[in-house]
Amino acid sequence: MVKANSLLYAVYVCLLVSILCGALLYFSSLYTMLNTFYNTREDMYVQNESILNYALTQGDEENTMVNKENGIVSNYQMKSHGLLNVIVVSSILKNDTIASAHFVGHYATNTTALYLSNFSNDLSYSGNVTLIGDKLLPSKFIDEKYITSAQSNLKSIGRIGLSTSVLPEISPDFKKVFEEKNRQAFF
């Protein structure tokens, strides 16, 4: 014959086992939801970078694309900001959005950092000065001026060449920016 106490213990053991199994199922579903969230977030970041690369190769002002595999809607806008362009890229999935903004410019092949025309005075410095890049100057020597009693220090990296009396031609992109600014000033 079975005592009544043992039946109560069996009920307690079944209750504990059911609570442990329920907790394991709950944590498993939480882990699956968290893993799905991070995977979709990673897909959105990858899509955002992909649309940025597409925008850099196409050069369009604005475009919207939908990824049919995962339903991510991505769009980009290119806006002029002086000599640089700003590309704003956003990727949207349901109520989640990832956006990024990037400055885009042209790689300069001309390494001239300083151009001083030949009809002006020689370049002089005082204090701690660092010149990085090629320099076209009226003279190959840079004079030291004694404005204060402190010691002057010049650090020059790059070639020094002789300049002409005419300034070099301004870049067409630079001219276009100034023309746009002048037109805006009149309105």
Side-chain angles (χ1 to χ4, degrees):
M1 201 145 197
V2 179
K3 292 185 179 182
N5 272 349
S6 62
L7 186 60
L8 186 62
Y9 290 138
V11 170
Y12 286 151
V13 167
C14 287
L15 182 66
L16 284 175
V17 168
S18 66
I19 289 173
L20 285 175
C21 288
L24 286 175
L25 287 173
Y26 179 69
F27 285 128
S28 173
S29 68
L30 280 179
Y31 177 75
T32 303
M33 287 172 32
L34 187 65
N35 197 17
T36 303
F37 172 77
Y38 282 128
N39 284 340
T40 56
R41 185 60 71 102
E42 183 180 359
D43 288 344
M44 288 176 69
Y45 279 118
V46 168
Q47 183 72 19
N48 195 289
E49 289 296 319
S50 176
I51 294 299
L52 174 65
N53 289 333
Y54 178 80
L56 290 174
T57 58
Q58 295 300 317
D60 298 339
E61 292 287 324
E62 191 171 331
N63 201 347
T64 301
M65 288 177 262
V66 178
N67 189 343
K68 294 179 182 174
E69 292 178 7
N70 48 22
I72 297 174
V73 178
S74 299
N75 59 12
Y76 68 89
Q77 293 178 340
M78 189 177 300
K79 302 173 186 176
S80 179
H81 188 74
L83 288 176
L84 298 175
N85 290 328
V86 177
I87 296 180
V88 179
V89 182
S90 62
S91 298
I92 303 165
L93 179 66
K94 297 179 184 171
N95 293 331
D96 200 7
T97 302
I98 292 178
S100 61
H102 306 273
F103 279 115
V104 179
H106 301 287
Y107 180 75
T109 56
N110 187 359
T111 59
T112 303
L114 181 64
Y115 190 99
L116 194 59
S117 62
N118 205 356
F119 60 84
S120 62
N121 296 334
D122 292 343
L123 182 65
S124 60
Y125 71 96
S126 177
N128 293 325
V129 177
T130 304
L131 297 174
I132 300 173
D134 294 344
K135 296 157 277 301
L136 294 170
L137 306 172
S139 169
K140 287 198 172 202
F141 300 105
I142 301 174
D143 297 330
E144 182 177 1
K145 294 287 183 180
Y146 299 100
I147 297 175
T148 62
S149 60
Q151 184 179 3
S152 296
N153 185 16
L154 174 67
K155 182 178 178 184
S156 179
I157 300 171
R159 295 182 297 126
I160 298 177
L162 293 176
S163 63
T164 62
S165 60
V166 179
L167 290 174
E169 187 68 27
I170 294 177
S171 162
D173 294 334
F174 203 63
K175 279 184 181 178
K176 187 172 76 172
V177 168
F178 277 115
E179 289 171 359
E180 288 175 6
K181 294 291 182 188
N182 287 338
R183 267 189 261 133
Q184 290 174 0
F186 290 120
F187 296 110

